[in-house]
Amino acid sequence: MEAAGFDPDRIRANLSAVRQRMRAACESADRDPEAVRLLLATKTQPPGAVRIAIEAGERLVAENRVQEIRPKFEALEDLEYERHFIGHLQSNKINALLPFVSCIQTLDRTSLAAKLQKKLEREGEEIDVLLQVNTSGEDSKFGVAPEAAVEFAKEVRTYDALRIRGLMTIGLLGEDPEAARPSLALLRQIRDQISELDLDGVRMDELSMGMSADLEVAIAEGSTIIRVGSAIFGAREPEN
Ligand SMILES: *Cc1c(COP(=O)(O)O)cnc(C)c1O
């Protein structure tokens, strides 16, 4: 029976299927399955649906909208899990976001880095960040241009409350998941390029890339964090 618009058994079955896809992809790519984490992209999902997935063993959850974070945090307060932010962050939402997340995956501009630094410094805190790169070249996507990524890493590095842990991208979405491959491979190349510079305070451990449709391609291209929403929670209401 469905309660509050979601079906717990369906979510559990979907999770097993996604986990199975990840294992198969790791095997094909000859990668250690432990080296790829599954992040639940829970935008628009009710807290009860997210609870099912956490109770099934998932530990990494992310939101896109600052206003959804607090209510879900409060509804799931009894559970242990890690929260990341994967949406476009407006600087006037920083204060409402920071108490609730351990990593911002979508750092995409210096002005935002400066504002985060100011706030964190005042509180004596630090946060993990990933640098978002627009690898598909679509105007609709946020992120720094690929050719600006190295310079961006060097700039963000000067803000010592921001711990750079890697890169994030949304691959090109097409009919065929292979459409995403060039953009996902590009993120890995940028990661290698930045790693080689061996910049103090810049770690390139994480490559957050791959979603429901293209997770196999992303794992083959080196992803360490797969962000999955619809393959677990079902199709979302159309966004407007
Ligand atoms: C919604 C979302 C995802 C998950 O997308 P699905 O196709 O539903 O798996 C991943 N990353 C970001 C940034 C998202 O907003």
Side-chain angles (χ1 to χ4, degrees):
M1 221 189 73
E2 292 210 9
F6 64 90
D7 174 352
D9 289 335
R10 167 66 57 175
I11 292 172
R12 284 186 279 262
N14 286 346
L15 261 179
S16 307
V18 167
R19 284 289 181 188
Q20 178 52 39
R21 283 174 63 192
M22 290 175 67
R23 272 194 300 276
C26 285
E27 194 168 329
S28 307
D30 202 15
R31 294 191 56 200
D32 177 2
E34 300 280 317
V36 187
R37 284 190 291 165
L38 173 59
L39 173 149
L40 310 177
T42 59
K43 57 178 173 275
T44 77
Q45 298 301 331
V50 184
R51 173 178 293 277
I52 300 298
I54 297 173
E55 286 178 347
E58 297 305 329
R59 288 291 172 267
L60 185 54
V61 174
E63 293 296 338
N64 290 66
R65 297 177 188 152
V66 172
Q67 66 272 25
E68 282 190 54
I69 291 187
R70 191 194 186 102
K72 281 191 204 170
F73 171 75
E74 287 172 354
L76 303 171
E77 222 165 12
D78 56 311
L79 301 173
E80 281 287 327
Y81 63 100
E82 192 179 335
R83 277 180 308 276
H84 288 191
F85 187 72
I86 57 171
H88 180 64
L89 182 55
Q90 293 167 284
S91 45
N92 61 358
K93 302 272 173 69
I94 287 175
N95 292 358
L97 176 69
L98 283 177
F100 300 106
V101 295
S102 62
C103 178
I104 296 170
Q105 294 203 0
T106 45
L107 189 64
D108 64 353
R109 56 202 192 278
T110 310
S111 60
L112 178 63
K115 286 184 175 134
L116 286 166
Q117 170 71 25
K118 202 168 157 201
K119 171 72 180 166
L120 289 161
E121 203 173 81
R122 212 180 305 135
E123 311 274 321
E125 285 171 9
E126 296 182 359
I127 194 165
D128 288 350
V129 296
L130 305 185
L131 311 181
Q132 183 174 6
V133 182
N134 181 353
T135 53
S136 68
E138 296 162 286
D139 288 344
S140 58
K141 302 272 173 70
F142 293 104
V144 297
E147 56 278 11
V150 171
E151 204 47 49
F152 186 53
K154 288 181 179 168
E155 281 166 11
V156 173
R157 180 170 86 106
T158 63
Y159 298 108
D160 61 5
L162 306 180
R163 298 181 297 228
I164 303 174
R165 294 300 192 228
L167 306 176
M168 179 272 198
T169 200
I170 299 172
L172 184 69
L173 300 176
E175 291 284 295
D176 178 350
E178 282 299 324
R181 192 180 293 272
S183 42
L184 304 181
L186 178 57
L187 196 70
R188 173 171 43 76
Q189 287 153 15
I190 296 168
R191 191 265 320 268
D192 293 345
Q193 200 185 345
I194 296 175
S195 293
E196 271 167 29
L197 298 175
D198 205 12
L199 300 170
D200 254 355
V202 177
R203 275 168 46 187
M204 282 286 127
D205 303 335
E206 304 288 2
L207 275 185
S208 174
M209 60 186 198
M211 322 205 311
S212 292
D214 58 9
L215 71 86
E216 285 86 358
V217 178
I219 288 174
E221 294 299 336
S223 175
T224 66
I225 302 177
I226 301 289
R227 308 181 308 265
V228 179
S230 52
I232 295 169
F233 299 107
R236 287 178 291 276
E237 301 283 312
E239 298 180 50
N240 46 41

